[in-house]
Amino acid sequence: MAVQMAPSILSADFARLADEAAAVAGVADWLHVDVMDNHFVPNLTIGLPVVEALLKHTGLPLDCHLMITGPDRWAPAYAEAGARNVTVHAEALRSPVRTLRQIRSAGARAGLGINPATPVEPYEDLLAEIDLMLLMTVEPGFGGQGFLDLVLPKLRRARAMVARHGGSVWLQVDGGVSEETIERCAEAGADVFVAGSAVYGADDPAAAVQALRAQAERAAGAAPWRH
Ligand code: DX5
Ligand code: ZN
């Protein structure tokens, strides 16, 4: 599947979200929206009202990453509001099958989030229920953290697992993705790349997305898992 670039607005100016979305509109595939509740992670960001407002101001598909407790309760509403992707964390779900199916039946793609220390193998039987798996490459909660190389072997195992099931689940990396690390991610099996500070910390966010995409496509194209 084609490489997808998802700039994260966590590193954007929250008082100018519509402009910040517009800055990457021509070059990004999805806009990544980090929802944090100060319970699942030690940080508080934005929720459904801001997602609903943003949907009125951007044509970019919203990739909503829910870092919240009680995702079973809250996730379907993001799908109903019009988010293209809704990702819920394995560590927080009580009824994964029911919630993932509710996300899909509300018209969104379903994503499963996996923290750095959470293995992917227990979720193999859920692959048919999801469209993407988000592998955190930092501990969730903050932008601008250092990339955790220890996730790369798990990413390779996730890619092999997905390949056994026909290859139709995207593998997304989130956290510390930059020009220094994106090639390692693509080589190990990622095909969706979230980048916050590497995009919105750059002088020209659109140019940063294009440069990262070129690196990812080159590395993925040469990666053994693509052949
Ligand atoms: C962190 C969030 C990420 C964050 C990544 O918990 O899930 O999406 O925006 O930021 P960078 O790319 O700066 O590590
Ligand atoms: Zn995220």
Side-chain angles (χ1 to χ4, degrees):
M1 296 195 290
V3 159
Q4 305 288 302
M5 300 303 297
S8 169
I9 56 162
L10 184 63
S11 297
D13 180 348
F14 274 12
R16 298 174 47 253
L17 284 182
D19 295 339
E20 297 280 63
V24 295
V27 295
D29 299 290
W30 309 336
L31 193 65
H32 186 82
V33 178
D34 289 305
V35 174
M36 304 186 189
D37 68 349
N38 202 31
H39 291 275
F40 183 70
V41 289
N43 194 8
L44 184 67
T45 56
I46 58 176
L48 189 56
V50 175
V51 168
E52 288 171 335
L54 195 52
L55 280 163
K56 296 189 187 125
H57 290 276
T58 182
L60 274 173
L62 297 192
D63 179 42
C64 290
H65 177 196
L66 307 190
M67 285 161 278
I68 60 173
T69 54
D72 305 272
R73 160 75 177 80
W74 299 105
Y78 288 82
E80 286 156 16
R84 186 72 186 90
N85 308 329
V86 180
T87 293
V88 281
H89 265 265
E91 302 82 5
L93 284 162
R94 293 252 175 115
S95 308
V97 176
R98 183 195 299 140
T99 299
L100 293 165
R101 288 185 179 181
Q102 283 176 343
I103 292 168
R104 279 181 160 179
S105 57
R109 299 187 185 116
L112 184 67
I114 305 278
N115 280 342
T118 303
V120 287
E121 286 77 7
Y123 302 99
E124 181 160 2
D125 291 340
L126 284 183
L127 286 177
E129 305 292 334
I130 63 175
D131 301 287
L132 65 99
M133 184 179 273
L134 181 161
L135 301 192
M136 287 302 312
T137 40
V138 297
E139 291 288 1
F142 301 94
Q145 301 182 77
F147 181 83
L148 294 174
D149 276 283
L150 65 85
V151 179
L152 291 175
K154 180 169 67 176
L155 181 53
R156 287 180 213 284
R157 298 199 303 275
R159 177 50 68 189
M161 202 170 88
V162 165
R164 284 200 295 279
H165 290 260
S168 63
V169 172
W170 275 299
L171 291 181
Q172 182 175 39
V173 281
D174 183 9
V177 175
S178 69
E179 61 179 18
E180 302 295 325
T181 58
I182 195 164
E183 292 177 11
R184 270 179 272 165
C185 295
E187 190 275 327
D191 52 4
V192 183
F193 303 87
V194 176
S197 47
V199 169
Y200 284 107
D203 292 338
D204 183 343
V209 173
Q210 285 172 310
L212 288 167
R213 183 196 296 281
Q215 278 187 285
E217 284 179 348
R218 209 177 317 118
W225 64 270
R226 288 298 274 268
H227 301 286

